Amino acid sequence: MVDALDRLAVPGEELLRRVDRILARGGVSPESDVAGLLRLVGMLPGEVLEYGLRLDVGSLQEAARDLAGVGDRFRVLPARLSADVDRSGWQGGGAAAFGAVWVALADHIGDGGSADSIVGRIDATADYLDAVVDWAAGLRYELAEAIARVISSAEAVTVVTAGAGGPGAEGEAAGAAGRIAERVLRTAVDALDRADTLRREWERRLGELPYRPPEAQTGAAGVTRVTL
């Protein structure tokens, strides 16, 4: 699915490659806002655009749907298997011991009613993927907006025509490249902040789920009767 960022990719990549070269050639003052943003993001503006273009929102949506389907397949298993156990005609100590283990296992699988179950974790992971989809789509949209603004700016003209300028043109190009970089990098910083918030909100719900065995194991001694 083609979106605004895809349509702006070619002019955006051309401009930001020039910006990256100017920044690399002229350096960036360690005290400048751009230097601080570069340290936070860890990428040049052109690399930020490349990252945004690689975000495949459609594939993430498909993965979320597939995972939701896995949850639907799992959530019916406890009731189905419990019905089979009830029809088995198994009685005695062995049946009681198995029943205790089975109840614990059925609770561990769950039906989605509790987040502390396999199905609950699958549902939560699918919901998390949906949240990641929203984050990725938001980043692509905001990056497209930033690219649209910078490619139509006076700074873009200065950067593109830098080689044909007279005395002082190089300094003007460096200043223009810095302003373009700041616009793109601030978009990336905002996206990183949202990603960190997303991680903190979901890390507990997606944590490891240990199996909890029955509190009291029932022994298998005594007579066991099985109807065949």
Side-chain angles (χ1 to χ4, degrees), residues 25-37:
R25 184 172 63 246
V28 178
S29 171
E31 295 78 22
S32 67
D33 290 342
V34 173
L37 292 169

Side-chain angles (χ1 to χ4, degrees), residues 198-208:
L198 190 66
R199 176 190 60 79
R200 291 197 306 270
E201 289 176 349
W202 283 90
E203 61 184 356
R204 188 194 67 79
R205 294 180 61 186
L206 301 177
E208 182 180 356

Side-chain angles (χ1 to χ4, degrees), residues 132-148:
V132 172
V133 167
D134 291 341
W135 174 83
L139 171 57
R140 287 180 64 94
Y141 176 83
E142 291 172 7
L143 193 54
E145 185 179 37
I147 297 300

Side-chain angles (χ1 to χ4, degrees), residues 81-129:
L81 295 176
S82 291
D84 292 339
V85 171
D86 292 341
R87 288 195 298 268
S88 67
W90 187 10
Q91 299 177 349
F98 175 81
V101 173
W102 168 243
V103 168
L105 181 59
D107 289 342
H108 185 62
I109 296 173
D111 59 4
S114 170
D116 293 327
S117 65
I118 290 177
V119 174
R121 284 295 198 274
I122 293 174
D123 290 344
T125 305
D127 290 342
Y128 172 70
L129 277 177

